[in-house]
Amino acid sequence: MAGERALDELERARAEVQPTPGVVTGIVTVGLEPLVRERLWVVAPPSEGLRGDRPVPFARAAEHPLVIPAAGHGLRSLIDGADT
């Protein structure tokens, strides 16, 4: 199973690198496959003119206040990275 393989690879990499918290000592590349793909949803009043059958560009969504996970959450990191 791909998920078990990914976890095994991460455990092996962690054992090889022996990281110190807060210190980057090297880079480990591990071959991984996505485990899950999820859609993100924008919720807005009808006056915004959004359509459920069309994607919303991130730049347009980012013009408004967002309800997103706290800093440090994986999804939050992806959202923050998309803004750059």
Side-chain angles (χ1 to χ4, degrees):
M1 172 182 254
E4 289 177 18
R5 180 175 161 254
L7 291 174
D8 289 343
E9 290 290 326
L10 287 172
E11 187 62 36
R12 184 181 59 77
R14 183 172 65 116
E16 289 175 3
V17 175
Q18 298 178 355
T20 302
V23 177
V24 177
T25 58
I27 297 173
V28 175
T29 302
V30 180
L32 298 177
E33 298 174 27
L35 300 177
V36 176
R37 291 191 186 270
E38 293 184 272
R39 291 183 181 192
L40 299 179
W41 296 91
V42 172
V43 178
S47 61
E48 287 297 319
L50 302 177
R51 294 181 43 172
D53 61 342
R54 293 190 182 156
V56 176
F58 179 78
R60 180 153 183 216
E63 293 172 355
H64 304 280
L66 300 175
V67 177
I68 56 179
H73 188 281
L75 178 57
R76 172 68 179 265
S77 298
L78 291 173
I79 292 169
D80 289 345
D83 192 29
T84 59

